[in-house]
Structure formats: structure tokens, C-alpha cells
Amino acid sequence: MGRVIAVDEDKQMLTIDWEGGATVDYYKGDFEQIMHSFCITCHKSQGSEFQYVIFPLIMSNSRMLTRQLLYTTMTRAMGTFIAVGQHLALNIAVATDKPSSRFTGLTNLLISPIDEITNIWHSLGSAKKTTRQASSTVTVASRLQQRSCTATQGQMTAIGSLAQNMYESKYGYRPSKQPELVGKFRFNTYHYEASEVELIDSAIDAVLGNQ
């Protein structure tokens, strides 16, 4: 996500401050690269704060209405919090206390012999390593580096948006988002399956041409 921080009417240009620290200028011909972010889930916004928060409280989401969800959403607001919906939904959310249950098995581990705990620890480490090797992924930044292509931050944003749209059109959902170090900034970027490298190449070629 990003935030419009400046608008230059004479140059027909706007400046967006993106998460991760990148600041990009967009001219009128580039506006199609930007999509409005109309809403975000309260869970996805954890760690962020907003001047105004508008929260829909409706019975169609009755299974999600809990005190914890309401509290999480309210604490996203630095200034004004507005709940829109039905009084019954609000009453259910306030009355439903469902703290998260975590089944970690910690109690059993604490009373287990040290040899058994050591074996479990090693097996978990091996499982993580196997999973990491099996789930080979590729990102826009890593693919640009593999192809020795150079791109501005604006071009990378355009490539990423195009690749994500093509992937979503193909599968009906978005690729997974994971942290990635791009230059000196750390971003949450989309990670594509290695088999989708041609899709990323298509997006790169569309924006940069064949370099």
C-alpha cells in the first residue's frame, strides 16, 4: 500500500509514499498503474494506525463478530472510529469473548526428557529445511536480477501490478506475500511459484521491452 503525499497540477504528477520507504512520482500517463485501496482487513492492518477507521458491523459476518475483532479494529484508529451496520451485530461482538487458543504442546515438552526434546527439535529443523527447499519461489526483483535488467521503482511497481493481475486472472487468487530485501529496503512482496517465471517475464517485457 501507498499514500498520495503530493499533487502537482502543473506537471500533472502525483507522488506516492509506498510501504518500505520508496517514494515514486507518477505522471498522467502512469496513473493506470495505480489502484485505489478502498479497504483493508483489520487483521492485515495490525501494526498500522489510521486517522479514520470505518468498520462494517453486519449480521452476514456473524461468525466473525467477537470482542477481540472489535477491539483490534478500534485500536487501528488514531482519531475517529465509526461503526456502520446493525445494533444486533454490535451487541453480539461485545458479548462474544473468544480468546485465541494456541495448542503448542509446551506443557508436554516441559516435562519431557531432554533427549526427547532434542530429537523433536532436530526433526522440526529438518522439516523446515525440506519445506524451504520444496517451495522454490521467484519474485519480480529476483527475476530482474537474473535477467540483468534495470528498472526504476515506478517500473518495478508497474511490473509487480501487472504480474499480480495476470496471476490472479489465471488462478482466481493472489500469490503469497513474504518479506524480501530489495536494495536497502525490506518489502512484503509477492512470491510466485518457480513455474510461473514466464508470467513474470511477460510482465517485465511489457513494461521494459526485451532488454
Side-chain angles (χ1 to χ4, degrees), residues 43 55-70 86 88-90 92-93 96-99:
H43 292 103
F55 183 44
L57 274 167
I58 51 179
M59 290 303 300
S60 60
N61 298 322
S62 58
R63 293 181 62 184
M64 296 181 62
L65 295 175
T66 66
R67 193 181 304 173
Q68 287 73 24
L69 185 77
L70 181 60
Q86 301 158 307
L88 178 59
L90 175 61
I92 291 174
T96 305
D97 186 12
K98 285 186 178 180

Side-chain angles (χ1 to χ4, degrees), residues 121-209:
W121 180 262
H122 288 316
S123 65
L124 288 173
S126 301
K128 285 181 180 179
K129 186 175 180 181
T130 304
T131 303
R132 210 176 288 122
Q133 290 173 345
S135 59
S136 177
T137 59
V138 61
T139 65
V140 169
S142 65
R143 187 55 183 162
L144 283 167
Q145 190 174 20
Q146 290 170 3
R147 290 183 50 175
S148 300
C149 294
T150 56
T152 65
Q153 187 61 48
Q155 289 172 328
M156 285 187 66
T157 302
I159 295 168
S161 298
L162 183 56
Q164 176 238 303
N165 288 335
M166 289 193 294
Y167 185 95
E168 195 169 1
S169 298
K170 184 177 180 180
Y171 294 104
Y173 56 87
R174 295 184 177 184
S176 64
K177 230 176 185 184
Q178 302 171 33
E180 181 186 20
L181 191 65
V182 182
K184 63 180 180 179
F185 299 110
R186 191 170 183 82
F187 294 90
N188 281 327
T189 59
Y190 288 111
H191 282 60
Y192 300 82
E193 298 86 352
S195 57
E196 297 301 323
V197 67
E198 292 184 2
L199 182 146
I200 296 178
D201 282 343
S202 297
I204 292 173
D205 293 339
V207 176
L208 301 181

Side-chain angles (χ1 to χ4, degrees), residues 68-94:
Q68 287 73 24
L69 185 77
L70 181 60
Y71 172 80
T72 299
T73 309
M74 291 178 69
T75 54
R76 298 308 94 209
M78 291 186 296
T80 303
F81 173 79
I82 301 172
V84 178
Q86 301 158 307
H87 285 100
L88 178 59
L90 175 61
N91 293 338
I92 291 174
V94 172

